């Protein structure tokens, strides 16, 4: 089956610093990847749609200057949380689309101290 | 716009018993897909079962089956012979030509020994 990796699996950073999360499709090419945020015991909230070679499409209410998305190749999308604050602490999940299905990475737990 | 509704925040079932999780959806599209995802404590999203809307036959994957009622826009998941490893959050989701998943709010299922 299609596999998506995500790195790192967890990260702790200090307030004001930036952190980058990588999402890779390991055995297929994905022109479209998605980034989600998930709070405990809640559903996945779509943050943005990442398209290879073009600008990401952000959902309403998501700060594009804070959550920078780059989809530089057909197998890699990155999410950079800039000037992180404690309220950015969350679980971030990426997925890669293949036809009508999405395959999910294992997620990244971000803690901002 | 698509909406997906899961009205059961929490459910429990005895090991080896059968449980049904409910899901209703709304869409104006004719061509769409429906999914059930499982998110165990590891938080990795795992596809449980998929259903193409144009197929009348209900999808089945081993102990998991769906009851797809297209006219009623209902898509319930039945888990037979429940196992402890089935304990997880279950999300119902739909996708259509917009190509992004719409998730329900989730149902936390606990299998009791």
């Amino acid at each position: 089956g299609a596999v998506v990796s995500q790195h790192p699996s967890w990260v702790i950073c200090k307030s004001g610093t930036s952190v980058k999360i990588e999402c890779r499709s390991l055995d297929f090419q994905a022109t479209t990847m998605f980034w989600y945020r998930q709070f405990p015991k809640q559903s996945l909230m779509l943050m943005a749609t990442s398209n290879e070679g073009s600008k990401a499409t952000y959902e309403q209410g998501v700060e594009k200057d804070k959550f920078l998305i780059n989809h530089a190749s057909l197998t890699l999308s990155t999410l950079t949380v800039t000037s992180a604050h404690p309220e950015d602490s969350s679980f971030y999940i990426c997925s890669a689309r293949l036809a009508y299905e999405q395959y999910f990475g294992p997620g990244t737990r971000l803690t901002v101290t | 716009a698509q909406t997906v509704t899961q009205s059961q925040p929490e459910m429990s079932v005895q090991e080896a018993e059968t449980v049904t999780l409910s899901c209703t959806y709304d869409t104006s599209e004719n061509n769409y897909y429906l999914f059930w995802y499982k998110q165990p404590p590891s938080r990795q999203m795992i596809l449980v079962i998929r259903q193409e809307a144009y197929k009348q036959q209900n999808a089945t994957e081993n102990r998991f089956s769906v009851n797809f009622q297209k006219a009623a826009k209902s898509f319930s998941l039945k888990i037979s012979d429940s196992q402890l490893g089935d304990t997880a959050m279950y999300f119902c989701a739909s996708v259509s030509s917009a190509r992004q998943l719409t998730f329900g709010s989730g149902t936390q299922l606990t299998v009791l020994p």
Side-chain angles (χ1 to χ4, degrees), chain A residues 4 32 34 36 38-44 46 49 59 91 93 97 99-107 109, chain B residues 10 31-33 35 37 39 42-47 50 89 91 95-101 103-106:
Chain A
V4 175
T32 302
F34 301 91
Y36 296 87
Q38 187 182 33
F39 293 103
K41 298 187 178 183
Q42 293 189 23
S43 189
L44 281 69
L46 180 65
T49 301
E59 295 300 300
F91 191 69
I93 305 174
R97 187 172 70 199
Y100 271 93
E101 293 198 24
Q102 287 186 30
Y103 296 89
F104 289 86
R109 180 176 301 281
Chain B
E10 296 181 354
N31 187 24
Y32 56 92
Y33 292 74
F35 305 90
Y37 285 92
Q39 189 180 40
S42 68
R43 301 190 80 170
Q44 169 74 61
M45 293 288 284
I46 301 167
L47 177 65
R50 72 172 71 79
M89 181 74 90
F91 292 102
V95 68
S96 64
S97 58
R99 297 291 192 97
Q100 65 186 50
L101 281 170
F103 286 98
S105 55

Side-chain angles (χ1 to χ4, degrees), chain B residues 8-27:
Chain B
Q8 305 154 313
E10 296 181 354
M11 293 189 72
S12 62
V13 62
Q14 291 293 139
E15 195 174 7
E17 297 292 306
T18 296
V19 64
T20 299
L21 280 57
S22 301
C23 172
T24 58
Y25 63 93
D26 193 16
T27 180

Side-chain angles (χ1 to χ4, degrees), chain A residues 22-93:
Chain A
E22 292 186 348
C23 179
R24 293 181 185 274
S25 54
L26 298 185
D27 50 4
F28 66 101
Q29 293 183 330
T31 56
T32 302
M33 293 184 175
F34 301 91
W35 287 95
Y36 296 87
R37 184 173 180 175
Q38 187 182 33
F39 293 103
K41 298 187 178 183
Q42 293 189 23
S43 189
L44 281 69
M45 181 184 74
L46 180 65
M47 298 176 65
T49 301
S50 169
N51 298 297
E52 188 268 337
S54 64
K55 290 184 178 180
T57 303
Y58 291 82
E59 295 300 300
Q60 193 171 9
V62 177
E63 299 176 61
K64 60 181 67 177
D65 294 332
K66 168 173 266 306
F67 299 100
L68 300 178
I69 291 172
N70 184 276
H71 194 155
S73 77
L74 288 172
T75 59
L76 173 64
S77 175
T78 60
L79 168 68
T80 301
V81 183
T82 63
S83 187
H85 291 285
E87 56 265 31
D88 298 325
S89 297
S90 192
F91 191 69
Y92 293 87
I93 305 174

